[in-house]
Amino acid sequence: MLDYNVYLKKSDSMAFEEAVNIYNSIFNMLECKDEYLHELWKEVIDSALVYANMRINWNYFSREEKHEKDDLRTIYHNTFMINLKAFHKLGEQLELDTSWKEKLGSSEDRKRWGDFAGYLLCLENIRAR
């Protein structure tokens, strides 16, 4: 069972409110009509979907399946991170407010970035209503 309060006590956790704040900052960038920026954002979302799907299924894989799929899970995570970094870099080049990346933290903190992928999908799902 997940205990969100226990999760929040971990040094590399991300509160829902923090994810919403980062998401809203990113979404402000998307007011820019640059077509390539929007294409990169779609790649961020697509890679978050692939990674989060693997991460959710991880809960149901056997030990053997986890062993078989561990490298693939890492590849999916790396792809999400690369896409998000590319989106950030283009935002900088377009002179947009990219301060959200500082809030997300260093890419060395892979767990936070992975958590954000899940939050991102949650928030996109709510936005789609």
Side-chain angles (χ1 to χ4, degrees), residues 74-91:
T74 299
I75 290 168
Y76 292 163
H77 192 176
N78 290 344
T79 300
F80 169 73
M81 293 176 66
I82 289 166
N83 288 340
L84 193 55
K85 288 177 188 178
F87 176 80
H88 173 262
K89 185 71 171 169
L90 181 58

Side-chain angles (χ1 to χ4, degrees), residues 26-42 86-96:
I26 290 171
F27 216 77
N28 285 337
M29 288 177 56
L30 294 171
E31 291 178 8
C32 175
K33 301 300 181 201
D34 185 86
E35 189 173 313
Y36 187 51
L37 184 72
H38 287 265
E39 287 177 25
L40 284 180
W41 181 244
K42 176 76 167 84
F87 176 80
H88 173 262
K89 185 71 171 169
L90 181 58
E92 285 182 325
Q93 291 170 355
L94 295 171
E95 298 181 354
L96 302 173

